[in-house]
Amino acid sequence: MSGDRVPARADGRHESADQRADRRWGELIQEVRVTQTGVQILFGFLLTVVFTPRYQQLPHMDRTIYIVTVVLGAAATGALIGPVSFHRIVAGRRIKPEAVRWASRLTFAGLLLLLATMTSALLLVLRVATDGGYVPWLVAGVVAWYLACWFVLPFWARHRHTTG
């Protein structure tokens, strides 16, 4: 089957556009599986909080943070499940490269929404668990860590090790 071999591109891969789309789709779905599990567990937990006796005792500001957190969690869940739905609806239409682009965008949006969800959830939990004025600083430190791990390091590596 050596006649089916596609010439190597500049990146050294021997794959057609369809093969590349298939590979990228598989990689994307693996990434989404990891994030979906986490966001679904977090969202499920958030949904139960309102039914606890302590919820009624929360100050107005904490209830507002909770509502914002739940809405962000719902939005993150939607964005991270979106690629699966997108693929299922367009499967067999021969638009996989476009599907991969859109699913990738949904996943990136989902990661941003997950960052916001985790930030507001952490803020709420620490506000309820402590009386410390240091809570915003602690949350800012964790957010900085998330940003470094999720975005700064990957973008730095992309810039540093990508040519052309």
Side-chain angles (χ1 to χ4, degrees), residues 18-38:
D18 287 342
Q19 290 168 329
R20 182 171 190 246
D22 288 341
R23 177 182 54 80
R24 291 183 68 213
W25 180 260
E27 292 170 354
L28 181 65
I29 286 302
Q30 286 301 103
E31 295 163 1
V32 167
R33 281 185 183 126
V34 171
T35 55
Q36 275 180 349
T37 303

Side-chain angles (χ1 to χ4, degrees), residues 50-69:
V50 74
F51 299 107
T52 64
R54 176 98 192 252
Y55 179 79
Q56 295 303 321
Q57 300 168 2
L58 290 176
H60 178 71
M61 177 58 88
D62 290 342
R63 289 168 130 187
T64 301
I65 294 170
Y66 170 75
I67 290 166
V68 168
T69 304

Side-chain angles (χ1 to χ4, degrees), residues 1-161:
M1 293 293 242
S2 63
D4 293 340
R5 193 167 179 130
V6 177
R9 296 185 348 205
D11 63 4
R13 292 194 179 266
H14 296 276
E15 58 187 5
S16 68
D18 287 342
Q19 290 168 329
R20 182 171 190 246
D22 288 341
R23 177 182 54 80
R24 291 183 68 213
W25 180 260
E27 292 170 354
L28 181 65
I29 286 302
Q30 286 301 103
E31 295 163 1
V32 167
R33 281 185 183 126
V34 171
T35 55
Q36 275 180 349
T37 303
V39 77
Q40 287 172 334
I41 291 169
L42 176 60
F43 185 56
F45 170 75
L46 287 170
L47 291 176
T48 66
V49 170
V50 74
F51 299 107
T52 64
R54 176 98 192 252
Y55 179 79
Q56 295 303 321
Q57 300 168 2
L58 290 176
H60 178 71
M61 177 58 88
D62 290 342
R63 289 168 130 187
T64 301
I65 294 170
Y66 170 75
I67 290 166
V68 168
T69 304
V70 169
V71 170
L72 287 168
T77 300
L80 291 169
I81 291 174
V84 175
S85 175
F86 197 99
H87 182 261
R88 189 54 20 225
I89 291 170
V90 303
R93 302 290 178 176
R94 298 179 189 249
I95 61 167
K96 188 168 272 184
E98 292 81 7
V100 169
R101 279 193 289 280
W102 279 105
S104 181
R105 291 173 185 149
L106 282 170
T107 303
F108 192 79
L111 288 173
L112 292 173
L113 288 163
L114 179 59
L115 173 66
T117 304
M118 291 177 68
T119 300
S120 60
L122 183 62
L123 177 63
L124 177 62
V125 168
L126 292 177
R127 282 177 54 96
V128 171
T130 70
D131 294 327
Y134 59 86
V135 167
W137 295 105
L138 189 55
V139 171
V142 172
V143 169
W145 176 248
Y146 288 159
L147 290 170
C149 294
W150 294 4
F151 301 105
V152 174
L153 182 60
F155 278 119
W156 173 82
R158 178 176 159 174
H159 173 74
R160 173 81 168 85
H161 299 288

